[in-house]
Amino acid sequence: MAKRGPDPLPAEDVRQVRVSVYLTDAEAAELDERRGSVGRGAWLRRAGLGQQPRGAVPPVNRQAWAELARLAGNLNQHQRAVNEGQAPPPGVDLAELRGAVDRLRNELLGVPGEGQD
């Protein structure tokens, strides 16, 4: 049986250093509102390292975000079927198409120009 899940990270990419911070209730509430469904640690890591932190999807973009999420999932399933020889290769590069979907989803978040994390 084939191994499932991602390959282990190289040792230099494994996060082992923990940083703790105390917040007031008001600060925590503001942080939670800005980060949306992104974990606190992931959001703070990106913000602290000068990367654009992702937050909640603006209400006007939520329906498009959800539809693109389903499309991205379908692309992943089709690519897996192609890789396993259960479906014929499509006439387009699925990785390129997935990249376009990811870029569009990031633009809906207000993070243009970034790829998938």
Side-chain angles (χ1 to χ4, degrees), residues 25-107:
D25 289 341
E27 290 169 334
E30 183 176 340
L31 173 67
D32 290 343
E33 184 176 323
R34 289 185 186 192
R35 71 180 175 88
S37 62
V38 177
R40 285 179 175 170
W43 195 92
L44 288 169
R45 182 182 319 103
R46 289 183 64 84
L49 295 175
Q51 301 168 351
Q52 177 67 42
R54 293 192 177 131
V57 178
V60 69
N61 295 340
R62 286 188 182 144
Q63 181 177 356
W65 175 267
E67 290 173 11
L68 285 168
R70 283 189 290 279
L71 175 61
N74 289 342
L75 284 171
N76 284 344
Q77 289 176 3
H78 188 73
Q79 182 65 59
R80 181 175 180 184
V82 169
N83 292 347
E84 293 175 349
Q86 297 175 357
V92 297
D93 181 355
L94 289 180
E96 185 178 317
L97 184 56
R98 174 61 200 254
V101 169
D102 289 340
R103 286 188 296 277
L104 180 54
R105 291 182 80 206
N106 283 331
E107 287 181 21

